[in-house]
Structures are given as structure tokens and as C-alpha cells.
Amino acid sequence: MANESETEAGPQATHLESALEGTRTALDRAVCRAGRGIAWLIFIAMAISVAEVLARYGFNNPTSWVHESVVFLVAVIFAFGGPAALAKNRHIRVRVIYDYVSPARRRWMDVLNDGVTLLFCVAMSYAAYVMFWRSTHDPMGNWTLERSGTSWNPPIPSLIKGAILVALAVMTVQALLHFIQSLRGNGPGQREPTAPARDTAI
């Protein structure tokens, strides 16, 4: 019989394996684990939104910071959705041709796909860097954060552009590692499907 500790650890281990399904590298697995923490930002956004509704309509005392805070939190979640989707190979794709070609041709399709993804991520990272630089520096090159211009006036625009830059930089490294794997013949099309786990407890 399985002991009590194995029984308790079983569902947690299964849930973690499910969360990491489709990952190709250690960086992908780290992104998935970080994503589980970042996902809680949506709960924080919801909680402060509810508090704002109560303050505004229940006590006639609206805040000046909730709206922009929610915009920032949701923007961060969306930005890091890119690395999470790339890590788990859950991006949108059409597999009509891919599923019907030989493994050898599938390998080169993996190389082409990962190469195009890498070029796209490099280009987008450069664009994000330019956008972030302009948001954090004045025309003279001095450090000056772009602000929202509201009564609270936080540097939310600069922070969001910084989050986008970080997310795209992570995606660029992910794409590079995926490209190297595909060149070595270890792309998604070359990996054996994982056999389903069986319960061996008696």
C-alpha cells in the first residue's frame, strides 16, 4: 500500500507535471513556475477594483490610484503571457501540413519555425528597448520617467514599457534555446510522446 506521505504528495506532483507539460528547457520550466505567481496579480486587480466600487458608490469617497493600478497589473499579466505561452508551446498554430510530413521534414519545419520566432523576438525586443528608452529619458538623455498625467501621476507608462521589454527579452532567450534544440534534432516533432502515468499503489 502507498504510504500517507506519497498519497498526499501525489496530487501536488501531478498538478506540477501538468503545469510543466510541453516545456522544452529549464528556462521554460522556470517561466511556468514564475507565471503561476504572476497570475495572482489578476486577483489583486480584482480585489482593489471591488474596493474602489465600495469606496465610490458605498461611501462616496473614490480613490485616485485604483484605475491606473489595475491597468498596470493587467498589462503585466498580458506581457508575461507571451513567455508563458512560448514556454508551454501553447501559441496558436496551424498543423495541417506539420502533422502529415515525415519526421525528417518535421525537423526542418521546427528549425524554420523556431528561426522565424527568434528573428521576430529579436526585432520586437529592439522595438521595445527603443520604446522603453524614450519613455525613461528626455531629449537630452537625462533619466526622466514618463508619467500618466493624472492627479496621482505615477510612472505607469514607463513601468509597463519596462515589463514589455523584460517579457520580450525572456522570449528572445527562449526562442534561441528552442532554435538550438531544433538544429540538434530535438524539436517538438522529434520528441517521443510522454507515456501516461499509471497508479501503482495497491
Side-chain angles (χ1 to χ4, degrees):
M1 294 180 63
N3 60 42
E4 186 177 349
S5 61
E6 290 176 343
T7 304
E8 292 176 353
Q12 295 178 357
T14 303
H15 181 69
L16 181 59
E17 290 173 2
S18 175
L20 299 179
E21 182 183 358
T23 57
R24 296 171 60 178
T25 65
L27 177 59
D28 289 340
R29 291 185 284 276
V31 166
C32 287
R33 290 188 177 95
R36 297 178 70 184
I38 293 174
W40 282 97
L41 294 179
I42 197 67
F43 176 79
I44 297 174
M46 180 204 69
I48 62 177
S49 296
V50 171
E52 167 67 6
V53 170
L54 291 175
R56 179 182 296 269
Y57 298 105
F59 301 97
N60 195 28
N61 186 27
T63 66
S64 61
W65 57 271
V66 166
H67 174 72
E68 288 171 294
S69 298
V70 169
V71 169
F72 171 70
L73 293 173
V74 173
V76 169
I77 293 170
F78 271 93
F80 286 95
L86 188 58
K88 300 186 70 172
N89 198 29
R90 295 291 178 86
H91 45 82
I92 299 174
R93 58 201 181 276
V94 179
R95 301 175 60 100
V96 175
I97 299 175
Y98 187 84
D99 287 340
Y100 290 96
V101 298
S102 65
R105 291 184 178 179
R106 195 175 295 169
R107 173 189 175 182
W108 290 110
M109 292 180 74
D110 287 338
V111 171
L112 176 62
N113 180 67
D114 290 336
V116 170
T117 302
L118 176 59
L119 291 176
F120 174 79
C121 289
V122 169
M124 291 298 293
S125 295
Y126 174 74
Y129 171 76
V130 172
M131 181 175 64
F132 177 69
W133 174 269
R134 291 176 178 173
S135 177
T136 55
H137 293 78
D138 63 21
M140 301 299 294
N142 299 316
W143 179 266
T144 305
L145 295 179
E146 179 184 0
R147 295 183 174 272
S148 63
T150 62
S151 58
W152 186 33
N153 201 29
I156 294 292
S158 293
L159 296 178
I160 291 176
K161 291 171 185 177
I164 293 172
L165 175 59
V166 171
L168 284 167
V170 171
M171 289 182 69
T172 300
V173 178
Q174 288 177 278
L176 175 61
L177 296 177
H178 293 177
F179 182 64
I180 293 172
Q181 279 192 336
S182 293
L183 285 176
R184 293 176 174 174
N186 193 26
Q190 273 60 58
R191 292 183 299 172
E192 294 294 331
T194 304
R198 292 182 299 176
D199 186 6
T200 57
I202 325 181

